[in-house]
Amino acid sequence: MKYLPLLLPLFFLFACTDSGSDAQITGEWQGVSWIVNGETSDRDASQVTFSFEPTGTYSGAFGTQEEAGTYRVEGNKLYTHAEEQAEKMVEVALSGTDTLRMQMNRAGTPETLVLVRQ
């Protein structure tokens, strides 16, 4: 729960395999793997979900903690602006059409969150 605000800024530090577009990430996503500093972490990736709508809005959750707002994709960067928060940016990487990889850096510690399209 307390990781969602930390996760979203990290989500914005990823690299895309294709030139990014809003349409590529539109849909429902669920976490399947969370790697911290190259090793499997004890964080439950299955509790992470994102929904990106074609209208440019998104919602995200980590357990019972939720966030919603607007998003845009520019190249390999995903920008989100949650209600009553500052805009955040991460780089995103798509593998095919159904796997989204988020390679994050939280206070100098590399993290990778892998999500699959639902």
Side-chain angles (χ1 to χ4, degrees), residues 9-16 76-78 89-93 101-104:
L10 300 177
F11 178 71
F12 298 99
L13 299 174
F14 301 88
C16 242
N76 66 339
K77 293 178 175 51
L78 170 64
M89 183 277 297
V90 298
E91 293 178 10
V92 292
R101 186 174 300 274
M102 303 179 182
Q103 300 170 352
M104 306 169 274

Side-chain angles (χ1 to χ4, degrees), residues 33-64:
S33 174
W34 201 331
I35 308 296
V36 176
N37 212 20
E39 298 182 14
T40 303
S41 77
D42 60 352
R43 297 186 187 129
D44 187 359
S46 70
Q47 295 295 307
V48 178
T49 60
F50 286 97
S51 177
F52 295 99
E53 301 296 328
T55 59
T57 60
Y58 81 98
S59 61
F62 182 69
T64 59

Side-chain angles (χ1 to χ4, degrees), residues 84-104:
E84 300 182 18
Q85 294 185 23
E87 182 175 73
K88 303 168 201 158
M89 183 277 297
V90 298
E91 293 178 10
V92 292
L94 287 169
S95 298
T97 59
D98 64 351
T99 304
L100 180 63
R101 186 174 300 274
M102 303 179 182
Q103 300 170 352
M104 306 169 274

Side-chain angles (χ1 to χ4, degrees), residues 19-40:
S19 61
S21 77
D22 294 359
Q24 289 177 315
I25 66 166
T26 298
E28 307 288 324
W29 299 88
Q30 181 165 8
V32 293
S33 174
W34 201 331
I35 308 296
V36 176
N37 212 20
E39 298 182 14
T40 303

